[in-house]
Amino acid sequence: MARLLLVDDDTAGLELRKLILEREGHQVSAAADVAAARSLFLETRPDSVVLDLRLPETEDGLALIREFRAAAPGLRIIVLSGWTPDLDGKPQARMVDELLAKPVRSAHLVSVVAAGATGPKPK
């Protein structure tokens, strides 16, 4: 299974998604803010990142997308956001592998994560 980093400032949703994905057999780290996300990214070297854009500002999520993509070109980046239009016209949109709108069904999130669970995609 995959090493995942979940990033969301909605701590209740973050913990719920963490539990669901762990139950599926993934190794999951969770960060509720940008600083923790950066630290856990370096510490855990995840295969995939699932992140919200507004952390609390849209630029926070966009910055993480740029940083994570630069540090790990093969990383799978899944954006899970209640404000998907925040990516419209942004260069980061091309850096994202999946864009999911909140609320997302748990089964759909699990299937999207599982599709890349074999590890990072080749670039």
Side-chain angles (χ1 to χ4, degrees):
M1 288 294 158
R3 287 184 321 273
L4 305 175
L5 173 59
L6 303 181
V7 185
D8 198 328
D9 59 347
D10 168 12
T11 56
L14 180 69
E15 287 303 314
L16 179 61
R17 285 185 207 96
K18 182 178 187 291
L19 290 171
I20 289 167
L21 292 167
E22 284 176 335
R23 188 177 59 208
E24 294 296 317
H26 300 289
Q27 180 182 343
V28 183
S29 300
D33 59 54
V34 173
R38 287 179 175 130
S39 177
L40 283 170
F41 178 80
L42 293 173
E43 181 181 317
T44 65
R45 292 296 182 190
D47 302 313
S48 299
V49 173
V50 179
L51 83 142
D52 189 12
L53 283 177
R54 294 188 178 185
L55 297 164
E57 301 298 324
T58 302
E59 181 52 39
D60 297 326
L62 295 174
L64 286 178
I65 292 169
R66 289 190 303 270
E67 292 170 29
F68 292 165
R69 181 60 70 215
L75 177 72
R76 190 153 185 263
I77 299 176
I78 302 165
V79 169
L80 176 62
S81 179
W83 305 96
T84 57
D86 285 348
L87 265 178
D88 291 349
K90 302 282 191 301
Q92 291 84 352
R94 292 185 308 276
M95 299 176 194
V96 170
D97 299 294
E98 297 281 345
L99 177 59
L100 305 176
K102 285 181 183 178
V104 66
R105 290 190 171 284
S106 297
H108 184 59
L109 177 61
V110 166
S111 70
V112 168
V113 168
T118 58
K121 66 177 187 165
K123 283 284 181 178

